[in-house]
Amino acid sequence: MSNELAVATEKLTKNGFLDMDIDPSLDLYEEIEKLKKEKNAIILAHYYQDSDIQDLADYIGDSLGLSQKAASTDADMIVFAGVHFMAETAKMLSPGKKVLLPDLKAGCSLADSCPPHLFRKFKEKYPDHVVVSYINCTAELKTLTDICCTSSNAVHVINSIPKDKGIIFAPDRNLGAYLIKETGRDLVLWNGACMVHEIFSDEKITKLMHRHPKAKFIAHPECEAHILEKADYIGSTSGLLKYTQENEATEFIVATESGIIHQMEKYSPQKTFIPAPPNNTCACNECPYMRLNTMEKLYLCMKHELPEIILSERVIREGVASIDRMLEISKRAGL
Ligand code: 13P
Ligand code: SF4
């Protein structure tokens, strides 16, 4: 092992990312572009990333788009500017490629709310049920899942299951409740949630709606039912973005992580986007995990090819079928 690699590996073990000095005169945009070419790498970014990372990405999308891209890319290296479960999904879909995540601590409160050993016991109570898991779960949970879904294909996935079959839905109780309403199916829900989407203040949103009577209120289905009830439109991040492009309104109150507003403003510079306020004064509508990724970490990660996502053959083999089924259903639905 080279000395440089040994130092990098030590830093990684301690922090989950490469905490190394960078020459301050370097233009990180240029350096990252150079590394992309040199290593035949692709940067896949979620809409909740900082604006500068979104601007550098080769592809920006929601969880479904990112999975489709990870499955189809011919790059040798996938650099995931997103969170851990997204990078794991990319690795499961492209096991032969090197998949990097700039900070291994970029987790997800929703994925954490469903520990696989507890879910296994829960599942045993419903032996005849089909297990549908939101893609925001660990790779290990995907091995206990029949079909994955994302917020943009969840209704199609539930509707693809024969009516006489019971369904367990994990881990998001809010998306689950929304699906019960949309599909009329009686889902058994795991009691998990996303900390970012449960922080919105009903009262402050109502006040904002009064102050901006012409604004459309749009929300992600991970929000609680009392917030979704107020919404003019409910959808995945890419669904929300598309709605703001196509709807003739010029003001939108947006109940999801505020990173999405960067693309909304880019596509519709003449329109106004107001982030839905949290129930306190913090910036809690920013996902603390997504925002762990920085330009510096992205640069170091591509330079040293660390941290890398490593999964066992068993997890890939037993987990990927649930993602493949989801991609098949999405393809049939034209998504
Ligand atoms: P989308 O698939 O809608 O982008 O959702 C991802 C996510 O993590 C929402 O919190
Ligand atoms: Fe997870 Fe919520 Fe962050 Fe999305 S916004 S990655 S669901 S913690």
Side-chain angles (χ1 to χ4, degrees), residues 90 107 168 234 239 272:
I168 299 176
I234 299 166
T272 305

Side-chain angles (χ1 to χ4, degrees), residues 46 48 62-64 85-86 134 136 150-151 197 220 222 236-237 290:
H46 188 263
Y48 296 166
D62 66 1
S63 306
L64 176 62
F85 77 81
M86 294 177 171
Y134 192 30
N136 298 38
T150 73
S151 49
H197 287 85
H220 194 280
E222 285 174 28
S236 72
T237 49
M290 286 277 183

